[in-house]
Amino acid sequence: MIDPRDIPDSQLVLYADDGYDSHVVRFLLAEKQLKYYLSLLDSERPEDLRQLNPYNTLPVLVHRDFSLYELNVIFEYLEDRYHGHKLLPDTPKSKALQRQLAWRIQNDWLKLGRILLTHKDSLNPDQAKIARRKLSDALVTLAPIFGNSSYFMSDDFGWCDVLLGAMLYRLEEMQIELPAHLIRPLLEYQKRIFERESFLRSIE
C-alpha cells in the first residue's frame, strides 16, 4: 500500500480493487483527465486503510491531508475542485435533474446490481434469480430511452453515464443476458460508452 507521505501533496491517490465502485472512480478520473497514483489492493485490507476509511472499504481517494470514501462525495468533490470536463450541466435546475437521475439509477438499478456483485457468494439461488429478473426487466423496459439521445437522457456525457457504464460492463458477471432484439438502443449506447477513451483507460 502506497504511503501518502511519499506522494506530492497536490497528487491524487486512489486505493482501489476490481469492484464496481472502484471502476466508477477510475472511469470518473479518466473522463476528467486527472492524473493520479493508483494502488490496487486485493481482498486483504491493510491495517493502514482503516486510518483513511473507518469502514475499511474501497475505493478511497486521498488528496492532500484528507480522504474520501463515498462514491457520490468523491464525484462531487472532483466536480467542484476540477472544472475541466464537467459532468453536470451548468444551470441549477439542470444540475438538480441530473443528480436526481443519478440517484434513481443508484436506487433502482445499482441496488440490484450490488446485490448480485457484492453478495454473490452468500446469495441463495432464489434471491439471485429475483434480483436478476428485476434488473433485466428494468433494462429491457427502458431500453428505448437510450435511443432518444447520445447519452443517458442527454446529448452530453455525464455522471449518469459513468455510473451506468461500469454497471453494464458487469452484466455478464451478474449472469444477466438480455434479448438483443429488444434492447438495440441500449446495445448501441453501451458500444458508445465502451469505446470511449476514458472507459478503455479505466479498465487497463
Side-chain angles (χ1 to χ4, degrees), residues 86-139:
K86 300 288 283 185
L87 295 176
L88 288 177
D90 293 328
T91 68
K93 176 183 176 181
S94 297
K95 281 183 181 178
L97 291 174
Q98 283 297 306
R99 286 187 174 107
Q100 187 163 263
L101 281 175
W103 178 84
R104 291 189 64 184
I105 288 170
Q106 293 177 75
N107 192 62
D108 296 345
W109 294 351
L110 296 184
K111 186 179 290 185
L112 295 168
R114 289 179 193 283
I115 290 173
L116 295 168
L117 292 169
T118 308
H119 307 293
K120 57 186 177 183
D121 295 330
S122 58
L123 273 180
N124 69 52
D126 289 337
Q127 288 175 312
K129 184 177 180 180
I130 291 170
R132 286 192 194 96
R133 188 186 71 244
K134 286 183 176 179
L135 183 53
S136 298
D137 289 350
L139 290 172

Side-chain angles (χ1 to χ4, degrees), residues 108-173:
D108 296 345
W109 294 351
L110 296 184
K111 186 179 290 185
L112 295 168
R114 289 179 193 283
I115 290 173
L116 295 168
L117 292 169
T118 308
H119 307 293
K120 57 186 177 183
D121 295 330
S122 58
L123 273 180
N124 69 52
D126 289 337
Q127 288 175 312
K129 184 177 180 180
I130 291 170
R132 286 192 194 96
R133 188 186 71 244
K134 286 183 176 179
L135 183 53
S136 298
D137 289 350
L139 290 172
V140 170
T141 300
L142 294 176
I145 69 172
F146 288 91
N148 296 336
S149 51
S150 297
Y151 298 105
F152 186 70
M153 300 185 72
S154 174
D155 289 326
D156 298 313
F157 183 91
W159 176 225
C160 291
D161 302 297
V162 175
L163 293 168
L164 284 171
M167 184 193 77
L168 293 171
Y169 184 68
R170 286 167 170 74
L171 288 180
E172 183 176 350
E173 183 181 345

Side-chain angles (χ1 to χ4, degrees), residues 3-204:
D3 187 337
R5 293 171 296 184
D6 296 333
I7 306 299
D9 285 344
S10 61
Q11 190 69 59
L12 294 162
V13 181
L14 177 63
Y15 298 95
D17 57 12
D18 60 357
Y20 168 81
D21 284 9
S22 292
H23 186 186
V24 167
V25 177
R26 293 184 69 183
F27 191 6
L28 172 62
L29 288 164
E31 185 62 36
K32 294 186 77 67
Q33 298 185 17
L34 297 174
K35 294 182 179 180
Y36 64 98
Y37 285 88
L38 175 64
S39 178
L40 282 174
L41 304 175
D42 55 23
S43 57
E44 294 295 323
R45 298 289 188 262
E47 187 58 36
D48 290 350
L49 181 65
R50 198 175 294 277
Q51 298 176 18
L52 301 174
N53 174 6
Y55 296 96
N56 209 35
T57 58
L58 295 172
V60 177
L61 185 71
V62 178
H63 191 208
R64 300 186 186 277
D65 60 347
F66 67 96
S67 58
L68 302 172
Y69 42 82
E70 198 280 323
L71 201 57
N72 292 286
V73 173
I74 291 173
F75 165 68
E76 293 290 350
Y77 174 72
L78 294 176
E79 185 74 356
D80 289 341
R81 178 71 174 77
Y82 302 97
H83 295 158
H85 308 282
K86 300 288 283 185
L87 295 176
L88 288 177
D90 293 328
T91 68
K93 176 183 176 181
S94 297
K95 281 183 181 178
L97 291 174
Q98 283 297 306
R99 286 187 174 107
Q100 187 163 263
L101 281 175
W103 178 84
R104 291 189 64 184
I105 288 170
Q106 293 177 75
N107 192 62
D108 296 345
W109 294 351
L110 296 184
K111 186 179 290 185
L112 295 168
R114 289 179 193 283
I115 290 173
L116 295 168
L117 292 169
T118 308
H119 307 293
K120 57 186 177 183
D121 295 330
S122 58
L123 273 180
N124 69 52
D126 289 337
Q127 288 175 312
K129 184 177 180 180
I130 291 170
R132 286 192 194 96
R133 188 186 71 244
K134 286 183 176 179
L135 183 53
S136 298
D137 289 350
L139 290 172
V140 170
T141 300
L142 294 176
I145 69 172
F146 288 91
N148 296 336
S149 51
S150 297
Y151 298 105
F152 186 70
M153 300 185 72
S154 174
D155 289 326
D156 298 313
F157 183 91
W159 176 225
C160 291
D161 302 297
V162 175
L163 293 168
L164 284 171
M167 184 193 77
L168 293 171
Y169 184 68
R170 286 167 170 74
L171 288 180
E172 183 176 350
E173 183 181 345
M174 292 186 276
Q175 299 179 35
I176 290 177
E177 186 174 350
L178 302 175
H181 65 289
L182 295 179
I183 61 161
R184 187 62 55 193
L186 175 59
L187 292 176
E188 292 171 355
Y189 166 83
Q190 185 173 281
K191 185 173 185 291
R192 285 194 293 277
I193 297 295
F194 291 175
E195 291 179 347
R196 199 171 179 87
E197 182 181 352
S198 56
F199 185 86
L200 294 173
R201 287 171 57 197
S202 74
I203 58 175
E204 289 177 346

